[in-house]
C-alpha cells in the first residue's frame, strides 16, 4: 500500500467540513481545556468514541494532554476486555435460595 497520508483510518470517521469545525473549536478554546496552560493544538472528543462531532462534544487540547488522554482511553479499553481464562463461575449451592 502506498500513498497513505495520515497513516490512520481515523480520518475516514471524521465528518465533511471537519477542518473548518476543528478551526472553530481551536478558536473557541485557544487554551487547552484539560491543563488550562498550554495553547490548544488538537480538537478532542470529550466523550471518546462517541463520534459526537457537534461543537458541544469537542474541546481544544494541547499535545501532551491529548497524548495522555488517548493512552488513558486505551488502558480503559483493555481493562474492559480482560484476557479470557482464570475466571471460574461462582459456585452454585443447590438448595440455598
Ligand atoms: Zn493541556
Amino acid at each position: 500500500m502506498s500513498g497513505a497520508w495520515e497513516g490512520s483510518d481515523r480520518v475516514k470517521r471524521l465528518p465533511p467540513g471537519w477542518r473548518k469545525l476543528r478551526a472553530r473549536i481551536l478558536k473557541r478554546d485557544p487554551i487547552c481545556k484539560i491543563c488550562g496552560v498550554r495553547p490548544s493544538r488538537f480538537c478532542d472528543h470529550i466523550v471518546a468514541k462517541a463520534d459526537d462531532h457537534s461543537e458541544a462534544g469537542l474541546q481544544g487540547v494541547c499535545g501532551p494532554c491529548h497524548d495522555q488522554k488517548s493512552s488513558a482511553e486505551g488502558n480503559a479499553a483493555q481493562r474492559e476486555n480482560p484476557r479470557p481464562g482464570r475466571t471460574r463461575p461462582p459456585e452454585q449451592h443447590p438448595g440455598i435460595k
Side-chain angles (χ1 to χ4, degrees), residues 2-74:
S2 64
W5 58 283
E6 297 291 346
S8 162
D9 68 346
R10 281 190 69 180
V11 173
K12 288 176 193 157
R13 286 171 50 192
L14 298 174
W18 170 250
R19 288 167 69 104
K20 276 188 189 172
L21 179 59
R22 179 178 174 278
R24 269 214 302 279
I25 299 301
L26 293 185
K27 204 171 172 182
R28 186 195 67 186
D29 303 333
I31 302 297
C32 172
K33 295 293 272 186
I34 295 176
C35 66
V37 176
R38 290 173 288 254
S40 297
R41 298 195 56 187
F42 291 89
C43 187
D44 179 56
H45 290 89
I46 295 171
V47 179
K49 297 179 183 77
D51 282 347
D52 180 1
H53 299 305
S54 69
E55 288 188 43
L58 297 166
Q59 62 182 352
V61 299
C62 69
C65 288
H66 182 260
D67 288 350
Q68 212 164 57
K69 191 164 183 276
S70 300
S71 65
E73 280 158 9

